Amino acid sequence: MDETRTRATAAAPASSPDAVALTVLHAPDPADVGQVVQVGRRLTLGRHPRDTPSLALADPDVSRQHLRLERRRGSARVGVVDLDSKNGTFVEGERVTRKGVAPDVVIRAGGSVLWLGAVPAELPSRGGLGRSRAWAESVRVVDRVAPSELGVLLVGETGTGKEVLATRLHTVSGRTGRLEALNCAAIPTELAESLLFGHAAGAFTGATTAREGHFVRADGGTLFLDELGELPLPVQAKLLRVLETGRVRPVGGGRERRVSVRVIGATCADLERSVADGGFRQDLLARLAGVVVRVPPLRERRADIPLLARHLLREAGCERALDADFVEGLLRHDWPDNVRGLRTAMRRVALLSDGPVLDAAALAHAVPAKPAVQEEARPDLEALLREHRGNVAAVASALGKDRKQVYRWLKRAGLDAASFR
């Protein structure tokens, strides 16, 4: 007879900076996803865990008592202990019986993928895609500064989501004008001034008609200058004047126009070094960097990856379900191009993968990885099946892999376990 499971509820906000939690990022039962339990001295996970505190999962491949987390008082490390589970406990892809780990790791139990790391942050509904502490801190600063007139500089690696935060800042600011964006690295030097401030008819060869610049179009709103460090020095001086006077003069024009524009800068470069090297104006940096917001790379917010991946797949028109192999593979990839790289990968998956579920085969389209079993390893599978008389659970145990993974390998290799019994 089935027993009633007691589901864990979301943990309260961390009371100390070293607080650690176990978060369910993927599970066969969608109701399990998002459960968070803070890790104290010990925590037991299973289908029907007897201990308290515990985390219960409705995952048929999770044992009743599957694993336990142990933490000594004052220690930053957490012990992961497998409780003789049927399908094993995996930490960063390695099957373990007992292992001490520093938080910031992926744990796999059956078909469920969990994150051991900082307690997720509680964000308002408009908080964007992610609850990691690193992302939450960036959002918190953006929300705090948005209603002010201070200049904001978003600093982070390429592809981290600086434009997402710029959009949020504009939305929260309450400014009624539009948000205009200009990538300073993607414009020819000779056109930078015209694009920013506009030009009069006949101002230069090819300027047959007058044109408004981004400043005028953003009047009453926000101008987002991405890759700010690429702005040419002569244009930097004119940008500073506009920020100081609130007036714009188009190239070749005689009259100035008053504008009210909030400027947000973004860069992946070290602008302080650019100032020292003479490539960026100190006075302009001081004006724009009233508040500097650090935008974390994806490797510092790995727990946000499944949510981001699902969102990006929907953007690409892909509504298929994800399995544990796919989610675990995404989490274990380092994503050097950050969210931009993840977006490209999800578009590729949406186009190239088949079937109703995105699995290990679909993962091969997303991240560069060796196949789980190379073709030359097929004789080893056959030998293991003979040795264990077709018992897939025994083969999985011998390989240190989950049974579902072994079944996938057998299917790819065209092997029938029953024929070895």
Side-chain angles (χ1 to χ4, degrees):
M1 187 171 76
D2 191 24
E3 301 175 26
T4 301
R5 295 185 303 121
T6 302
R7 293 180 183 271
T9 55
S15 56
S16 63
D18 63 345
V20 176
L22 191 64
T23 303
V24 184
L25 301 182
H26 175 85
D29 185 345
D32 282 333
V33 177
Q35 290 193 84
V36 179
V37 183
Q38 194 160 318
V39 179
R41 297 293 298 276
R42 63 166 45 192
L43 172 67
T44 302
L45 177 145
R47 213 167 60 252
H48 299 291
R50 294 188 300 266
D51 301 335
T52 302
S54 62
L55 174 59
L57 298 175
D59 183 340
D61 291 321
V62 166
S63 298
R64 295 169 67 86
Q65 310 289 319
H66 197 103
L67 66 88
R68 184 171 62 245
L69 302 180
E70 301 173 342
R71 193 180 187 196
R72 293 181 181 176
R73 191 182 302 277
S75 173
R77 295 182 69 79
V78 177
V80 182
V81 182
D82 182 73
L83 301 176
D84 295 322
S85 64
K86 187 174 183 180
N87 291 316
T89 297
F90 299 81
V91 176
E92 295 290 341
E94 174 193 0
R95 185 165 186 163
V96 301
T97 54
R98 178 182 290 269
K99 185 179 180 68
V101 299
D104 190 20
V105 294
V106 179
I107 297 177
R108 171 81 174 267
S112 300
V113 182
L114 307 106
W115 176 256
L116 179 65
V119 179
E122 293 296 337
L123 290 176
S125 58
R126 66 180 186 220
L129 295 167
R131 292 178 58 202
S132 64
R133 286 277 157 186
W135 179 252
E137 177 59 19
S138 298
V139 172
R140 185 192 70 79
V141 176
V142 161
D143 284 0
R144 191 76 175 269
V145 75
S148 76
E149 294 298 320
L150 278 173
V152 176
L153 182 63
L154 303 172
V155 179
E157 296 175 11
T158 182
T160 50
K162 295 187 286 294
E163 188 164 0
V164 171
L165 285 178
T167 301
R168 179 183 177 87
L169 194 152
H170 171 69
T171 302
V172 178
S173 73
R175 297 184 70 88
T176 57
R178 62 195 290 177
L179 171 66
E180 285 281 314
L182 179 64
N183 186 336
C184 300
I187 56 177
T189 301
E190 63 273 12
L191 291 181
E193 186 177 349
S194 170
L195 287 171
L196 279 171
F197 312 126
H199 62 254
F204 50 84
T205 302
T208 55
T209 60
R211 176 176 175 174
E212 292 182 338
H214 283 279
F215 260 99
V216 171
R217 290 200 294 272
D219 191 15
T222 305
L223 175 59
F224 173 54
L225 298 178
D226 199 6
E227 301 296 347
L228 181 65
E230 300 296 322
L231 200 62
L233 271 171
V235 182
Q236 291 179 31
K238 294 180 180 180
L239 172 59
L240 178 61
R241 183 179 181 278
V242 172
L243 294 176
E244 290 177 338
T245 65
R247 294 178 178 275
V248 173
R249 185 193 302 274
V251 177
R255 298 183 60 184
E256 291 185 331
R257 172 171 173 172
R258 180 171 290 279
V259 292
S260 173
V261 177
R262 172 76 168 280
V263 176
I264 304 171
T267 183
C268 59
D270 183 347
L271 291 187
E272 292 285 357
R273 176 173 292 179
S274 295
V275 168
D277 294 340
F280 202 85
R281 293 180 63 104
Q282 175 66 59
D283 47 6
L284 178 59
L285 179 58
R287 183 87 188 194
L288 291 173
V291 175
V292 177
V293 181
R294 180 180 178 272
V295 186
L298 198 52
R299 62 182 175 274
E300 292 182 12
R301 47 180 301 216
R302 291 168 71 196
D304 292 339
I305 289 175
L307 181 63
L308 284 165
R310 292 184 181 98
H311 170 74
L312 295 170
L313 284 165
R314 285 193 297 272
E315 269 191 358
C318 179
E319 297 283 352
R320 280 172 282 179
L322 318 182
D323 81 352
D325 287 335
F326 187 83
V327 172
E328 185 181 20
L330 295 182
L331 285 163
R332 293 181 59 203
H333 188 59
D334 57 5
W335 298 110
D337 295 322
N338 296 297
V339 180
R340 183 175 295 136
L342 181 62
R343 174 180 281 107
T344 299
M346 294 306 96
R347 288 175 178 171
R348 193 161 56 238
V349 167
L351 286 171
L352 300 178
S353 59
D354 299 312
V357 178
L358 298 178
D359 54 14
L363 182 65
H365 298 304
V367 300
K370 295 180 180 178
V373 170
Q374 303 289 345
E375 186 61 34
E376 58 267 27
R378 177 171 170 169
D380 295 334
L381 278 177
E382 293 175 343
L384 284 167
L385 286 169
R386 283 194 295 271
E387 179 184 347
H388 296 284
R389 298 181 180 179
N391 186 326
V392 175
V395 171
S397 179
L399 291 172
K401 299 293 182 182
D402 184 86
R403 275 185 305 164
K404 286 186 176 181
Q405 179 65 69
V406 175
Y407 276 119
R408 279 189 286 270
W409 291 345
L410 295 178
K411 182 178 179 180
R412 267 188 233 130
L415 295 173
D416 182 7
S419 65
F420 291 84
R421 292 170 189 156

